[in-house]
Amino acid sequence: MEVTSDRRPCDQVRVRVPATSANLGPGFDAFGLALTLYDDLIVTPGGSGVTVEVSGAGEGEVPLDESHLVVQAIRRGLEALGASVPGFTLRCENRIPHGRGLGSSSAAIVGGLAAAYGLAGEPLDRERLVVLANELEGHPDNVAAAALGGFTIAWTEGETGRAVRLDTVDGLAAAAYVPDNRVLTKEARGLLPTVVSHSDAAANAGKAALLVAAVTGRPELLLTATEDLLHQEYREPAMPESLALVHKLRGSGLPAIVSGAGPTVVVLGRPDPAAASSGPQSPGKSAGQSFFRGAPPAPDGWTRHDLGIDPVGVQVWSMEAG
Ligand SMILES: Nc1ncnc2c1ncn2[C@@H]1O[C@H](COP(=O)(O)OP(=O)(O)OP(=O)(O)O)[C@@H](O)[C@H]1O
Ligand SMILES: [Mg+2]
């Protein structure tokens, strides 16, 4: 196979799309971070319907027809681009766990839209990707990080999803503690109050601004900058073990937050140089060795993923059978 450089429709499209952590504490519905844990999609055009194959996360659970989230996103992307690809085979190799707060739905949507660009022979327009993905996802924080990589600040203008991307400080990494159980985003959102106090809102705004500084250049401020008063504690009834883990980690000086709508807990920081062999250069599951100084291994029933920051967001390769 060779990679095509022109804009004509291709024989196969490959997509790699990162997991994302949204909120990061005080940046509720705005901040996102792209992580080096990926779903891979392989789309081969042909025929008139869809064939879907899934391995890894969601295997045996997600539908294998037109209602599959990636298929819906491919269809929406093709429509937006004015391209016609009636049928295709979609192969999903999924590593991002579903319903855990690591942006699997955003990865599916951003990955599917990006695949549509590849199928249409169009270069990726990442700003438009955020707009289209926000329409499908309903909020822009995870889709922004999946589309742009790095650290993102997302917002909406009217109904339109927007985002800016910032480089993270060198060596920033994330340890993601993922429990076996799921929490659906809708359920976690239902626990939030409709009104918060002025003092909580003011404190959160200050911490969110500080977190931008911490993530981009002042990692020593991460512990205080990740304090949140708007959402995490309210969600405790839906994920008591996650909040207990956040409290325990923060109590030992580690900047732990609930990832997205939970229940995954993420610790941000820079790896202990003494444990560099398990650092972000070799992302993947950790067997419990110390990634950050003093970070405990995953509790029973949880898995710890030691991850780096993905700097580029979704990637697409258009292949031509050689
Ligand atoms: N790769 C995928 N392929 C098909 N469907 C998916 C895929 N990823 C997610 N989904 C759908 O989205 C659901 C999970 O979405 P949900 O928003 O609740 O969790 P999440 O995206 O993993 O976490 P969060 O939004 O809190 O970061 C799955 O149960 C499935 O229906
Ligand atoms: Mg989601």
Side-chain angles (χ1 to χ4, degrees), residues 103-106 137 139 142 185:
S104 72
S105 59
S106 293
E137 174 81 332
H139 54 101
N142 288 95
T185 304

Side-chain angles (χ1 to χ4, degrees), residues 2 14 27 33-34 58 71 88 134 150 174-175 194 209 216 248 256 261 264 295:
E2 61 183 59
R14 294 182 180 223
L33 195 61
V71 175
F88 52 85
N134 173 60
T194 49
T216 57
K248 180 178 160 197
T264 290

Side-chain angles (χ1 to χ4, degrees), residues 29-264:
D29 275 359
F31 291 175
L33 195 61
L35 302 171
T36 56
L37 179 68
Y38 300 99
D39 281 353
D40 288 319
L41 308 175
I42 302 160
V43 190
T44 311
S48 57
V50 294
T51 305
V52 183
E53 300 163 10
V54 175
S55 64
E59 185 178 347
E61 296 169 0
V62 293
L64 302 176
D65 56 18
E66 291 283 344
S67 67
H68 187 276
L69 195 51
V70 176
V71 175
Q72 290 184 25
I74 292 173
R75 294 282 189 219
R76 175 68 189 107
L78 290 171
E79 180 192 43
L81 293 166
S84 171
V85 180
F88 52 85
T89 298
L90 166 66
R91 170 146 190 80
C92 303
E93 294 170 3
N94 295 338
R95 297 175 197 87
I96 307 170
H98 290 188
R100 304 297 206 285
L102 286 172
S104 72
S105 59
S106 293
I109 289 166
V110 169
L113 290 169
Y117 274 83
L119 289 169
E122 290 284 340
L124 210 51
D125 176 344
R126 292 177 188 270
E127 270 185 36
R128 191 159 183 226
L129 213 54
V130 172
V131 173
L132 294 170
N134 173 60
E135 285 170 13
L136 293 173
E137 174 81 332
H139 54 101
D141 47 2
N142 288 95
V143 298
L148 305 177
F151 171 65
T152 50
I153 307 169
W155 71 99
T156 49
E157 286 170 15
E159 307 266 293
T160 306
R162 300 261 184 247
V164 293
R165 176 200 173 282
L166 297 171
D167 283 326
T168 55
V169 64
D170 275 354
L172 187 72
Y177 293 81
V178 184
D180 280 346
N181 64 302
R182 302 170 172 225
V183 172
L184 287 179
T185 304
K186 269 189 242 166
E187 186 191 330
R189 281 187 174 255
L191 292 167
L192 300 180
T194 49
V195 176
V196 297
S197 73
H198 190 279
S199 60
D200 282 0
N204 237 71
K207 288 294 161 70
L210 188 63
L211 187 51
V212 176
V215 164
T216 57
R218 299 287 301 275
E220 73 278 11
L221 295 173
L222 278 167
L223 182 60
T224 185
T226 47
E227 279 169 13
D228 158 73
L229 293 168
L230 291 190
H231 65 104
Q232 290 190 171
E233 297 299 325
Y234 294 110
R235 290 171 162 173
E236 186 163 20
M239 54 193 99
E241 291 172 348
S242 299
L243 268 296
L245 183 58
V246 166
H247 296 152
K248 180 178 160 197
L249 293 166
R250 294 188 71 83
S252 58
L254 294 167
I257 46 95
V258 174
S259 184
T264 290

